[in-house]
Amino acid sequence: MLPCICLHVVTGKQDKADLTLLRGMYHAPDAGYLCGNRQGCMKGTRRDILSQLERWRNDEEDKHVFWLNGLAGTGKSTIAQSFAEMSFADGKLGASFFCSRDFDDRSNLRTIFPTLAFQLAHRYPLFREELLPILAASPDVGKESLCSQMEKLIVGPFKTTNIPTLIIIDALDECKDEDPASAILSILSRYVDQIPKVKFFITGRPESRIRSGFRLGALRPITEVFKLHDVKRPLVDIDIKLFFRTRLTEIAKSWSHLDVTEDWPLPSDIDILCEKAAGLFIYASTVLKFVASPHHQPPKRLSLLISLPQNTAHEGESGIDSLYTEILRHAYHDLGSDNQEVYQRFRSVVGAVLLAFNPLSMESLSSLLHNFDTPSDISATLKSLHSLLLVPEGAEDPVQVFHKSFPDFLMDSKRCQDTQFCVEPSVHHTELLLSCLSLMEERLERNICNLEDHAVLSDINGLPAQRRKYIGNALEYACHFWTKHLVRSASKNPDAEKVREAIDKFFMTHLLSWIEVLIIMGNLDVGVHSINDIQQWYNSVSYIHIFY
């Protein structure tokens, strides 16, 4: 079954070999707008910007690139989601890539062009006909340079087919990129004039490398820039008030113990909330999740937030910071400051959720983290954080961050001034590293999936089921990402020697078993990169590297 990003299904007449070739194409399967739990704009809000985007998309003479520039919490991704839905309904959307630093494949620059090409091949039969010979001639094109990917996977098929379409790339700033000017934008500036019927809609924070990318000589003249944070506050406030009024009324109607005949929420309450939001839609969304808690009375929770002291610091940052601080304190208000074990458990679990390279389920978290024996232990720690994290009902579904402003807050000691909640990245990367090494020490063994001698993986029926049974998500995560946590761990701390000893033991006892799991996962190349990571860490702690 094709992933949910596919916009059209390959017909039954498609040659089986071609279908297999396309399905095996390197791509991020959940990056399209149809995947995940993203929400678009509430009906009646953001009408001006959505109308402007629609006009830009439909005007063939308008600029070929549109940059929706906005600070954190201003609603860029929500607008991108609505624009994608609108454009798909109008038959104008070709492909979309929603970047996310929470997922390894959706924060990797090398997956963007292959994923867009994969979607375009399912959207347009003519594009697919041009793409398949390229894949047959260059099966590893997904691992080639960005320049080569763009030429072969995007520009080549479009130049031949001349298809007019729209491509959406959301949250480009969330991709890992070391170039001074965005690597994706640099490539786009070189080739966009060769595919004049393709329009690119891109969102991203105004970070230095993103700004530098859009200032490139070839890109700047053809780029429309809209600064979301510069929209006049009265216009934004109209939308935020409508959002509050509509959603709070829905909460009142759904709360069986609340007398909906009363005038709740009061107009004055909405005015106060809107002032506190300071133009940030993420503030409004977080407030509503907090008030809608099924375990508390909405009026009491709303009154608690209304009573917070007013603060109008630059860009509304203080507003969201005080909201996050109050929610955390309220979640743990019954605990004294002496209950350090509970706060340590909070930091361990939330630190793992924030720093994991792919989202982990409660089941995987309980397997990885020390002092958590069951998913129920993880659930107990997260039970009061549903307004800040996306906590699923099932133990096997991933726990995810609701909005990237929350990890930004928790991992900045200047903003999160309560040390009980502040997450120090290097410390928790070390904790996750040691947890990964411990799990691999405990679980890795030769021929872990009980395969027959000389078995060819492609010929094994039911291999995915055997992977789930004998390896599982937690161990796969540990094998894949332990060295990523290593290079981000605190090299100058008391655990450095402990880490070195654990790595030495791992290589002496489980090296071949680790490689075997990577092969079964189809990620043998991870082993090569891992050795580089280990070398980098050893150099940082001034140890002599003994691996060759």
Side-chain angles (χ1 to χ4, degrees):
M1 182 176 179
L2 290 172
C4 59
I5 56 172
C6 302
L7 305 180
H8 287 270
V9 210
V10 180
T11 66
K13 297 179 181 179
Q14 178 79 33
D15 181 85
K16 184 178 179 181
D18 288 346
L19 183 59
T20 301
L21 187 64
L22 192 58
R23 282 178 170 171
M25 183 180 177
Y26 175 72
H27 67 283
D30 298 319
Y33 86 97
L34 285 173
C35 298
N37 48 22
R38 286 180 292 273
Q39 298 292 321
C41 306
M42 191 186 79
K43 186 177 181 180
T45 63
R46 299 298 204 183
R47 288 182 293 186
D48 289 344
I49 178 59
L50 290 173
S51 295
Q52 181 174 338
L53 290 175
E54 194 171 22
R55 289 193 298 270
W56 165 79
R57 184 198 67 196
N58 294 335
D59 188 349
E60 295 180 2
E61 302 302 318
D62 214 331
K63 295 181 178 180
H64 293 290
V65 180
F66 195 111
W67 176 25
L68 185 64
N69 169 341
L71 301 174
T74 51
K76 300 181 297 298
S77 292
T78 306
I79 292 171
Q81 179 68 20
S82 286
F83 187 42
E85 293 170 357
M86 291 166 43
S87 299
F88 175 71
D90 294 340
K92 300 292 182 66
L93 180 66
S96 59
F97 193 103
F98 281 71
C99 307
S100 173
R101 65 185 178 191
D102 295 331
F103 295 85
D104 189 56
D105 57 353
R106 286 167 52 194
S107 60
N108 183 350
L109 292 175
R110 290 182 183 273
T111 61
I112 294 181
F113 293 138
T115 301
L116 295 175
F118 179 85
Q119 294 182 35
L120 290 163
H122 288 88
R123 176 68 177 86
Y124 302 111
L126 287 177
F127 190 98
R128 181 168 65 248
E129 290 177 9
E130 297 300 322
L131 181 64
L132 287 170
I134 295 170
L135 296 179
S138 305
D140 292 328
V141 65
K143 303 295 180 70
E144 294 180 8
S145 68
L146 293 177
C147 186
S148 179
Q149 288 181 356
M150 183 66 169
E151 283 184 349
K152 294 179 179 179
L153 300 178
I154 305 295
V155 175
F158 271 130
K159 287 178 72 173
T160 303
T161 59
N162 211 27
I163 297 170
T165 194
L166 169 71
I167 290 175
I168 292 176
I169 301 176
D170 176 63
L172 184 58
D173 56 282
E174 294 208 26
C175 279
K176 302 180 184 74
D177 188 352
E178 303 300 327
D179 288 5
S182 165
I184 290 293
L185 296 178
S186 298
I187 297 297
L188 194 60
S189 70
R190 294 174 58 180
Y191 292 100
V192 68
D193 63 328
Q194 299 182 35
I195 45 176
K197 291 193 174 183
V198 180
K199 287 196 169 184
F200 290 85
F201 173 73
I202 300 170
T203 77
R205 297 188 197 184
E207 295 181 351
S208 175
R209 59 187 171 83
I210 303 293
R211 296 199 311 272
S212 297
F214 279 111
R215 288 172 181 160
L216 292 170
L219 204 54
R220 189 168 191 167
I222 61 170
T223 300
E224 181 87 15
V225 180
F226 187 98
K227 296 181 180 180
L228 202 54
H229 48 275
D230 283 350
V231 176
K232 294 186 181 301
R233 270 287 301 279
L235 295 177
V236 180
D237 287 350
I238 290 172
D239 284 348
I240 289 181
K241 286 183 179 181
L242 175 60
F243 185 65
F244 273 131
R245 187 163 52 248
T246 302
R247 295 290 185 247
L248 287 172
T249 300
E250 291 173 353
I251 291 171
K253 290 180 178 178
S254 66
W255 187 259
S256 58
H257 301 295
L258 186 67
D259 184 1
V260 294
T261 61
E262 297 180 2
D263 187 14
W264 186 90
L266 295 172
S268 58
D269 291 342
I270 292 177
D271 289 341
I272 292 172
L273 289 176
C274 184
E275 185 65 25
K276 289 177 178 294
L280 294 179
F281 270 85
I282 182 55
Y283 185 101
S285 298
T286 305
V287 163
L288 291 169
K289 286 171 68 68
F290 180 74
V291 172
S293 168
H295 309 296
H296 301 83
Q297 293 187 14
K300 289 185 177 180
R301 289 208 138 190
L302 182 60
S303 296
L304 176 68
L305 297 182
I306 292 293
S307 65
L308 286 177
Q310 186 62 39
N311 204 320
T312 56
H314 180 60
E315 298 175 355
E317 180 177 88
S318 178
I320 196 68
D321 288 358
S322 62
L323 176 62
Y324 287 153
T325 299
E326 186 61 29
I327 291 174
L328 289 171
R329 288 177 177 169
H330 190 268
Y332 292 88
H333 71 281
D334 292 331
L335 299 176
S337 58
D338 294 334
N339 202 330
Q340 291 302 309
E341 182 181 353
V342 174
Y343 290 110
Q344 178 59 49
R345 289 167 72 87
F346 166 88
R347 291 191 297 272
S348 292
V349 174
V350 175
V353 171
L354 302 189
L355 297 173
F357 292 97
N358 270 345
L360 295 165
S361 66
M362 286 186 280
E363 185 175 70
S364 295
L365 286 166
S366 65
S367 297
L368 271 175
L369 299 178
H370 302 298
N371 303 321
F372 295 90
D373 297 327
T374 68
S376 297
D377 294 332
I378 301 294
S379 179
T381 300
L382 299 176
K383 67 179 181 180
S384 299
L385 302 177
H386 285 248
S387 56
L388 302 174
L389 299 171
L390 297 172
V391 183
E393 294 294 330
E396 297 182 356
D397 297 319
V399 182
Q400 298 180 55
V401 173
F402 174 53
H403 189 268
K404 51 184 166 283
S405 60
F406 182 53
D408 288 346
F409 162 74
L410 271 191
M411 293 189 288
D412 187 340
S413 59
K414 293 180 180 178
R415 295 177 59 187
C416 181
Q417 297 181 10
D418 189 332
T419 56
Q420 307 282 20
F421 301 115
C422 192
V423 172
E424 174 57 47
S426 62
V427 170
H428 291 283
H429 274 300
T430 302
E431 184 175 321
L432 282 167
L433 161 67
L434 292 171
S435 295
C436 288
L437 286 168
S438 177
L439 183 64
M440 291 190 294
E441 170 71 21
E442 174 188 340
R443 295 275 313 281
L444 283 178
E445 59 183 62
R446 295 293 299 274
N447 195 16
I448 191 170
C449 288
N450 295 324
L451 304 178
E452 295 181 2
D453 291 343
H454 311 298
V456 178
L457 293 182
S458 59
D459 294 338
I460 299 174
N461 293 324
L463 183 60
Q466 288 176 272
R467 278 178 59 180
R468 288 191 298 271
K469 179 179 179 180
Y470 294 108
I471 303 176
N473 292 332
L475 183 57
E476 287 197 358
Y477 180 89
C479 289
H480 193 293
F481 293 111
W482 71 274
T483 63
K484 297 302 180 187
H485 290 297
L486 174 67
V487 294
R488 291 164 177 81
S489 64
S491 57
K492 296 180 180 179
N493 73 2
D495 286 327
E497 180 63 20
K498 183 178 178 181
V499 169
R500 187 191 66 80
E501 291 175 355
I503 294 174
D504 287 349
K505 183 178 180 181
F506 171 76
F507 270 83
M508 287 188 291
T509 58
H510 290 98
L511 174 60
L512 294 180
S513 299
W514 172 54
I515 293 174
E516 178 188 329
V517 170
L518 293 178
I519 292 172
I520 292 172
M521 291 168 58
N523 291 129
L524 184 57
D525 59 324
V526 168
V528 177
H529 298 299
S530 296
I531 298 299
N532 292 332
D533 290 339
I534 297 166
Q535 173 75 69
Q536 179 182 335
W537 184 82
Y538 265 73
N539 289 340
S540 72
V541 294
S542 301
Y543 285 118
I544 298 174
H545 186 213
I546 61 171
F547 308 111
Y548 295 92

